[in-house]
Every structure is written in C-alpha cells, then in structure tokens.
Amino acid sequence: MPGLLQTGGGSMGVKTPTPKLWEAPATICTQPTPHSVSHTVPSCGAVGSEAAEVQVDTFPETDHGQAGLAVYQLIEAETNFLYWEIFMEACYGCNGWIELNDGDVVVDCGANIGLFTLWATAQADLATVVAVEPMGPQFDCLQRNVELHMLQATVRVRQLAVGGQSQESSTFVFFPRMPSSSHRAVYAAEKEGQREAMSAHRFDGATSTVCQTTTLSQLMADEGLDRIDLLKVDVEGDELAVLEGLTESDTRRVHQIVMEAHATDGRVERIVHLLEARGFEVRVGGGDPRMERAGCFNVAARRRPSSS
C-alpha cells in the first residue's frame, strides 16, 4: 500500500547534498515519518477511502522552481533518489537540449509512480501526457498521484507494458524493496550487474506477475496520438524493443526521446545506431555516475529538422 511523501520546500536555489544510491534502509510500504507539516489526504487504503491525517516529510525545493511535491510512494529512499534526479538535477531536460512547450504531447513509458509525469506537466501548460506502467503497485501510486494533483484532464494512465510486440500476457519480476527496478523476466540476468552497485538485499523477495504488453505504435493508435513531442522510456531492459515497436512512419512523428538504456549486449550502441538511422541527433551520458557504473546510461535524441 502506498504511503504519502512530500518533497520540496525551502529556499530557492539552495541545493542539498546528492543522496546516496538508495541511502535509507529498505522498508516496504513505509508510512512517512512524522514531521511538522501535515496534510489531510486519502489514507493508505483503496482510492476513495476515508480521509486521514498523514504526516509528511519535507525536502528543499529545486533550482527549477518546484516548490514541493506530495506523492504517493512505495519506498521512501527510492522516491527521494528519483526526485533528486528528475526535479533537482532535471536529468530529462539534458541541460536545455530537450525542450517541452505548452500543449506538447508526452508519452511516459515505464511511468513508475509518476514523478516524470508530474515533472513534465510542470514544464508545459496543458501538456497531454499518456503515462504507461505495467506493475500493479506502481500503477496504483501513479493513479493516485494524478488524482492528488488534479491532472485527470490532461494525463491519461494505462496499466500496460510497452515492448516490441503486443501480447496478452508477459511475465515480469517485481522487487518489493526496489520497485523501480522491476522488469520483464527475460532480463533477469542483467540485474546481477546492478547488485554490485546497489545493496544486494534490495533484490530480495522478488515475485513474478503477468502483464499485458503493447507496442508504441499500437499505443499511439489506441490513444489517438498524431505526434509525440517527447517520448520518455525507462523500462529496465526493454528500451530497444520499445523503439523497434514503432513503425518507420510513426517514428517520423516522434520529435524528442529521453531514455535510460542498459549497456548489456551492446544495447546502447544499437539504440544510437537505430535512432541515427531514423533521423535523430543523439547524445549519450550525463547521468548519475553510479548508475553508469551499473550499466545504465542516459540517451537523449532530437529529430533533425531535415528528417521530419
């Protein structure tokens, strides 16, 4: 069951030290620790359950104007780290190389609890976001966070995986102590490398679940999208498959891409080659060095004007 966490608050432009990778003890479905700030929010039960007062923690506001963020979350340490990456470091903005404008269309593949979705809606007024997350616990938080921030008019959520082909059922592995690392079962061997960069016990208690998978082209058709101004992909190994699930004609309707790519089997190089062949200018790197040591690299791409 998700707990409620509040990030943000404090002096504009003051940075806190970079958090360690999953620095706090791993606890499952933690209730936020008491703090001086409190809000009345839906309790940790089902959506729509009776409201209860929940104490929330606070963290410094970002350099990019985000004055605090209340979110439903599963693991507080993981949420803190992702908040740092997305809001404090603006990792998906790539130092201004990637842009979002008012009214843009964004697709968030591997939305997790919705932090990138919340970031994107803060960058561009009236942006349309389609947020896709296959895992039940994360999808529950995603739905709650969209409702908590009253974004139902512009954010659509789908409980699906996006990959190279449409399937009614595909097996996934869920890590209750590190939910954002959950992945399709075929990539289980890749997680062994990450154990060296992260505490191994965070992979304990893994369970299997079955999720529906679709292609990005099919998702565009189902959602009636005639373009994607920014495609974000964080799918724990399936990132190349996501791109391969785009027809060439649909690829021409994608303007910018940001993704976390896993380096196993030359996947980063293959992604770069595919994107360049399809008319994108590509940049690799600029992410957290600890994640890069674990084989996870940031890839950003912009469509070259002459290839639209």
Side-chain angles (χ1 to χ4, degrees), residues 17-46:
T18 304
K20 297 177 183 177
L21 203 57
W22 319 142
E23 62 182 357
T27 54
I28 300 174
C29 302
T30 179
Q31 290 287 349
T33 53
H35 196 269
S36 59
V37 181
S38 64
H39 292 268
T40 298
V41 298
S43 66
C44 203

Side-chain angles (χ1 to χ4, degrees), residues 52-207:
E53 186 175 66
V54 177
Q55 301 293 329
V56 297
D57 208 352
T58 58
F59 295 87
E61 102 184 344
T62 75
D63 284 354
H64 306 279
Q66 186 68 22
L69 192 70
V71 294
Y72 283 101
Q73 50 92 39
L74 297 171
I75 302 295
E76 186 172 334
E78 182 176 78
T79 302
N80 292 345
F81 182 77
L82 295 174
Y83 174 81
W84 174 272
E85 278 197 314
I86 295 170
F87 286 93
M88 299 289 281
E89 294 297 310
C91 64
Y92 289 114
C94 302
N95 294 318
W97 198 64
I98 296 295
E99 296 181 348
L100 270 175
N101 299 303
D102 293 351
D104 274 356
V105 176
V106 180
V107 173
D108 185 356
C109 295
N112 195 24
I113 66 172
L115 290 182
F116 171 81
T117 288
L118 296 178
W119 177 82
T121 59
Q123 308 309 304
D125 290 339
L126 300 178
T128 296
V129 181
V130 178
V132 184
E133 171 56 48
M135 309 302 292
Q138 291 96 306
F139 182 79
D140 182 37
C141 288
L142 171 65
Q143 268 192 314
R144 290 166 181 252
N145 286 328
V146 169
E147 293 169 1
L148 181 66
H149 292 274
M150 297 180 289
L151 295 171
Q152 298 96 315
T154 56
V155 177
R156 307 198 292 266
V157 296
R158 298 283 303 275
Q159 188 172 0
L160 287 170
V162 179
Q165 57 184 333
S166 296
Q167 295 176 298
E168 285 300 315
S169 62
S170 186
T171 302
F172 282 72
V173 178
F174 173 69
F175 297 110
R177 295 178 181 271
M178 194 157 54
S180 70
S181 289
S182 303
H183 58 82
R184 204 151 64 90
V186 296
Y187 301 112
E190 295 186 16
K191 291 299 170 184
E192 293 302 317
Q194 292 188 12
R195 287 176 184 264
E196 299 176 6
M198 306 174 188
S199 300
H201 71 275
R202 298 189 183 280
F203 293 90
D204 292 345
T207 59

